[in-house]
Amino acid sequence: MDGAPAPAAQAVPAERDAIIRVRGLVNRFGTQTVHDGLDLDVMRGEVLGIVGGSGTGKSVLLRTITGLNRPAEGSIEVFGQDVLRVSAEERTEIEKRWGVLFQDGALFSSLTVAQNIMAPMREHLKLPQRLMDALAAMKVTLVGLPSFAGAKFPSELSGGMRKRAGLARALSLEPEIVFLDEPTAGLDPIGAAAFDELIRQLQQSLGLTVFMVTHDLDSLHAICDRIAVLAEKKVLVTGTMADMMEVDHPWVREYFHGPRARAAQGG
Amino acid sequence: MSGAQTDLTLEDTRDGAVLRFAGRLVVAGLAPLERAAAAVKARPGPIALDLSRVEALDTAGAWLLITLRDRLTAEGAQVTIEGTGPAEASLIETVEKALAKIEPAPPAPSGFLNWVAGVGEGVAGAWASFLDLLAFLGVTLARTAGLLVRPWRMRAAPLVHHMQEVGFNAFPIVFLMSFLIGIVLGFQGASQLQQFGAEVFVVTLIAVSLLRELGILLTAIIVAGRSGSAFAASIGSMKIREEIDAMRTLGLDPIEVLVVPRTLALLIMLPVLGFIANMAGLLGGGLMAWIELGVSPGMFVTRLYDTTGVWQLAIGMIKAPFFAIIIAVVGCWQGMLVGGSAESVGQRTTAAVVMAIFAVIIIDAVFSIFFSEMGL
Ligand SMILES: Nc1ncnc2c1ncn2[C@@H]1O[C@H](COP(=O)(O)OP(=O)(O)O)[C@@H](O)[C@H]1O
Ligand SMILES: [Mg+2]
């Protein structure tokens, strides 16, 4: 959280800087209300960590912003456009400007890793095969996979490798925003730290905005500029790690002052 | 991302050449830029790649810079990348590290050798999978027999569920199909036999062909299409989601939990379906004989008793358990062979249906030869 040269990473959250703006979001599944009047701003160029207990609707929030889940009420603006009301073509243009890493990687199982990375390029860019091959090979090693992983099918990779491959595919169109759903879950601690470092570095050099659902306190410490806590069906509080330590709410206190939190801070 | 314009200009200055990039050096405009870069020839002396007018740089842009620099260096120039801010410099460094880790792919074997190897592997694979099927059949039969000896270990709920799925739910289609086949047989038989004035033999024709062969054979084919595919797809999906592995670690035997109930359900329900098919076929044939030839229902039944022994029905029905076992075992076996991709579920499901129908027809032919040799 210090000395990040990323543009606007340290800026005071001002209305006009918000790259994602969620207002009054309501999500229901049957009789279960998951979100009830949720507000959230994500600033351009920041790494925002979303934390919350299991089942508090973190994944649903991510899916709603990326248009995979239609909310019952509320408005969502991304890049200043109301994504719930834009035309199909405008939607496609917006979708090209973000990348999503799903919780389980969600790679296309019938394509190799390299073909997975090329799939969005093939759809949206006019690049010769030779260039796509070269870029895909670069993306494979960029996310820390061994070179030979490009020719492998997702089922031939470990869970952690699939996550990296998923990130490579999410970065395939060089997006401005990356949505990550628990990116370091299932990685070994060294792999997770390397993954954090990778995200941080890409975020800084590309000016990426990162929306990251995570349970990993180390990630929160290492790379998140701000943290948003999901509880009681809304964003309970947002702020820096230091702000979180001050919050007087049972769950937040438990989370940020628990034994694991102290261990993460110490490290 | 649209309209990403990048200019590439080459200037000669006192200290050497400067390649000036301007605009957005990003993936959207990479193809034309790469062509422009490919046209740049190395020259002796220093060349500077100047990025000070670049507005945006991404990993694809950095890839272009690095590959251009490396090519020019290899051709004998001294290349530097200049005018980068800290962010760009760190991005270029990151991409550089990534590129350094790429290993050249091993060369693909030649086409002909590949083909020969493919044929060899195919033959060996077919034999191996035949043995595998036999092993699977053996295990399934052993487990089923084990359960029949100790029926209290039987899982009643899944058995009933599968009996409903493969049996009761198939009643309408089997009935309709067989009824129509009966009509066709009656109609065709009538028009041929009328020429000899041998109309009454239509009853024998319908009864023998339906009861001995067609009723149970067509039922088995429909069931192979309906249930063989369902078995393969459901077990295959469980395989992909590692449910089968989970079962094993929990001490549950997938054969006993998944395969045996399905096999038993088919074993019980296929004869029932076959019997229904026989009756529906006779109904359709009898109806046609009545309309076309004026063979009254009473007459039809009398002729049926006189000319067609109960043996004809038995010869047909005796095949049902064999068909049932092969359909269930092939479907479940293919499901267990699913690996990795979602596509594999589709391939295995198709294979299950094709193999099951093929096996059913082969078994039917073997029985036909056997019965006629026995003079039955
Ligand atoms: N498609 C769906 N249909 C019904 N309920 C859902 C659906 N998706 C999520 N939910 C429910 O919404 C709640 C939040 O889920 P989720 O966002 O996945 O939690 P998490 O915060 O752990 O990611 C859970 O209680 C879940 O059961
Ligand atoms: Mg989740």
Side-chain angles (χ1 to χ4, degrees), chain A residues 16 48 61 69 82 92 106 119 138 171-172 186 254 257 265:
Chain A
R16 63 177 186 283
L48 178 72
L61 176 61
N69 176 52
D82 186 340
T92 313
M138 183 257 289
L171 293 176
S172 146
E254 175 82 7
H257 291 274
Q265 259 176 310

Side-chain angles (χ1 to χ4, degrees), chain A residues 5 201 204-206, chain B residues 51 57-58 62 65-66 69 81-97:
Chain A
Q201 181 154 43
Q204 287 180 359
S205 43
L206 287 170
Chain B
L51 300 191
L57 179 70
D58 62 14
L65 287 173
I66 294 165
R69 185 198 62 192
I81 296 178
E82 288 170 5
T84 53
E88 282 107 28
S90 102
L91 174 66
I92 291 172
E93 195 189 316
T94 310
V95 173
E96 215 168 2
K97 278 191 202 138

